Amino acid sequence: MSTPSAMVEARGIHKSFGSLDVLKGVDLDVRAGEVTVVLGPSGSGKSTLLRTLNHLEKVDSGSVRVNGELVGYRRSGNKLYELRERDILKQRTKIGFVFQNFHLFPHLTVLENLVEAPVAALRRPKKDAVAGARALLDRVGLADKADAYPRTLSGGQQQRVAIARALALEPELLLFDEPTSALDPELVGEVLDVIKDLAHRGTTMIVVTHEIGFAREVADTVVFMDGGRIVEQGPPGQVLDHPRHERTKSFLSKVL
Amino acid sequence: MPLTTDPPAERTAPERAAPAPADDPPPLKVVPVRHPWRWAAVAVTAVLIAQFVHGLVTNPAWEWEVFAQFFTAETVLKAVWVTLQLTVYGTALGFVLGVVLAFMRLSASPFLRWVAFGYVWAFRSIPLIVQLLFWFNLAYLYKRLDFGIPFGPGFFHFDTMGLVGAMGAAVLGLALHQAAYAAEIVRGGVLAVDAGQLEAAAALGLPRLRQLRRIVLPQAMRSILPNATNEVISLFKGTSIVSVMAIGELFYQVQVIYGRNGRVVPLLMVATAWYVLLTTVLSVLQHYVERHFSKGATR
């Protein structure tokens, strides 16, 4: 299903931690403007796959291209040379990442959290970065929390700040690693609403989640992973309602 | 379910708040349990303290007039200044080298890790006083220091004695000793910062130095500071060891004076009072520095 307009092209990704093979040859294509939701039992490798896409995790073999550019490596002949850290950091500014546990900087205010990367990584003027940060906070409904410290916010608010922080770099691609798994049930909705809003604006996103309802509503493609492989993928109506593989069926019967 | 043993007392309260039947009993007074032995302990302690203070004031052997005479004497003030210099230089150099060693120990290179470990091992193993005497006698080991290509020709050189005088040797010894401890304190502080913080900084593409300076170190400072202040205070008092090298710091100077006039106790009190006073200043300073680095923290 490779298409010329694929924004993310992962090919033959292998990754093991010690003797544990976490990814056993994963191919993934994501078209620009689409939302891909990755489902699967814990330990299936979905988070690891996501982390290889911005080189937070080094692959053992395989390659990742975002907008045609190899992530983390430079190709010369038949060899992939790992890039210098500085170049990898520059690539990451184009790929937003939202963590399960937010990882906001606790000693910086909400506004400082958002301003940090545009100023330090992209060398934007401070004034522009602050204006951009305030607009983003407004968008996630937290304009009044600009001067608060992260620990004074609820989990849902912290995750919305973390999303705004990722957006502050104006990334081409957004990766979400179980963005609602650390939240109290009543706070999940406010975070999903922000992600849905991004989806409607045509942001390219890959979301690892356990929220089947969200996948059904927002995803263009649902990818089901198990045992380090992609078992099946397709539109949500197909994968969620008419799964072809036994493992998909048994997983869905447990979570639905 | 141990929680169910207490609440009955509370449950009766709303019942009583409701319209009472006939005669309303008066509200019950709560009487806490008495602690007679606690009061006895307080009394005994208070008497002991009173005796001690009484002794300080009335025992003529303390010779407070001699204390007053020397506390602000020019030679003593000069000695306090030397002590402060030793502390400041020792701390500054020690912690700069300590930070370098800490990051060597956290480095991905096994060689750098082992060198840093070896340094910490060696300098924690050698008593400070032995080290100081060793540096003091450096000129005996290396008469001339050459700077140039390693194992090759030297471009310029110094007489060791001229470059490393007594004061230099003392600062060097204190700083090298301090660095070993500072390295471990800084390393502990960096390890105490959640790994997710570095990961988030890396995911945002922050330059490496910025990740350390802006994200990791300010958070590490919270656990570094209490230990670091301990070290600074310990070094400040540890400068008294330098007296073996005949450097005119506080303790040495006091010894010189009581060697001359025989007033041992009041002069030891002069040194004690200065050490206590300046340690207090450091403790107050610690409070404010810690407050600065606790921004956004909930405890």
Side-chain angles (χ1 to χ4, degrees), chain B:
Chain B
M1 297 288 276
L3 281 180
T4 51
T5 52
D6 260 335
E10 280 176 22
R11 224 180 295 135
T12 56
E15 279 167 23
R16 237 181 304 114
D23 54 332
D24 200 1
L28 300 176
K29 191 166 180 276
V30 175
V31 181
V33 65
R34 304 284 180 199
H35 294 284
W37 286 109
R38 192 184 291 164
W39 286 107
V42 167
V44 170
T45 314
V47 168
L48 287 174
I49 292 175
Q51 276 187 305
F52 176 67
V53 172
H54 180 256
L56 277 186
V57 176
T58 57
N59 186 344
W62 286 104
E63 297 183 281
W64 290 111
E65 68 288 346
V66 180
F67 172 87
Q69 182 196 335
F70 282 102
F71 186 66
T72 52
E74 205 193 327
T75 47
V76 170
L77 290 181
K78 266 188 191 155
V80 167
W81 178 236
V82 172
T83 292
L84 281 175
Q85 279 179 309
L86 285 169
T87 309
V88 169
Y89 295 148
T91 303
L93 282 175
F95 271 83
V96 167
L97 183 55
V99 168
V100 172
L101 286 165
F103 282 103
M104 280 170 75
R105 280 207 74 180
L106 293 167
S107 142
S109 152
F111 180 74
L112 292 181
R113 281 207 303 271
W114 273 99
V115 169
F117 173 81
Y119 180 94
V120 171
W121 167 76
F123 279 84
R124 282 201 309 201
S125 309
I126 307 169
L128 179 55
I129 191 161
V130 177
Q131 253 189 74
L132 286 170
L133 290 172
F134 189 80
W135 291 114
F136 194 57
N137 292 300
L138 188 66
Y140 168 78
L141 205 55
Y142 300 100
K143 291 192 176 45
R144 220 177 69 161
L145 295 179
D146 277 288
F147 291 84
I149 298 164
F151 304 109
F155 299 134
F156 50 95
H157 61 87
F158 300 95
D159 277 345
T160 305
M161 218 36 223
L163 187 69
V164 188
M167 186 74 180
V171 168
L172 196 62
L174 291 172
L176 293 177
H177 170 81
Q178 197 53 54
Y181 290 90
E184 289 296 273
I185 291 173
V186 171
R187 186 171 72 95
V190 170
L191 289 179
V193 177
D194 176 20
Q197 291 291 310
L198 257 187
E199 200 160 66
L204 286 169
L206 300 185
R208 184 78 184 153
L209 259 181
R210 180 89 179 181
Q211 292 178 21
L212 294 179
R213 200 170 49 77
R214 174 79 165 158
I215 306 300
V216 175
L217 279 181
Q219 296 186 61
M221 281 309 272
R222 292 211 64 210
S223 40
I224 290 175
L225 272 172
N227 293 323
T229 316
N230 267 355
E231 284 300 316
V232 174
I233 288 173
S234 150
L235 178 70
F236 166 61
K237 291 179 300 177
T239 54
S240 53
I241 291 182
V242 171
S243 59
V244 298
M245 296 158 77
I247 290 172
E249 49 76 49
L250 183 55
F251 186 56
Y252 179 80
Q253 202 56 51
V254 163
Q255 282 178 304
V256 166
I257 297 171
Y258 71 59
R260 222 184 299 129
N261 66 9
R263 301 274 192 268
V264 177
V265 169
L267 277 157
L268 283 179
M269 279 309 284
V270 166
T272 305
W274 274 113
Y275 284 125
V276 169
L277 185 73
L278 292 171
T279 302
T280 309
V281 171
L282 279 173
S283 304
V284 171
L285 221 62
Q286 172 187 19
H287 170 76
Y288 286 102
V289 178
E290 280 190 16
R291 202 172 63 175
H292 170 77
F293 282 104
S294 68
K295 275 189 300 185
T298 45
R299 72 183 171 91

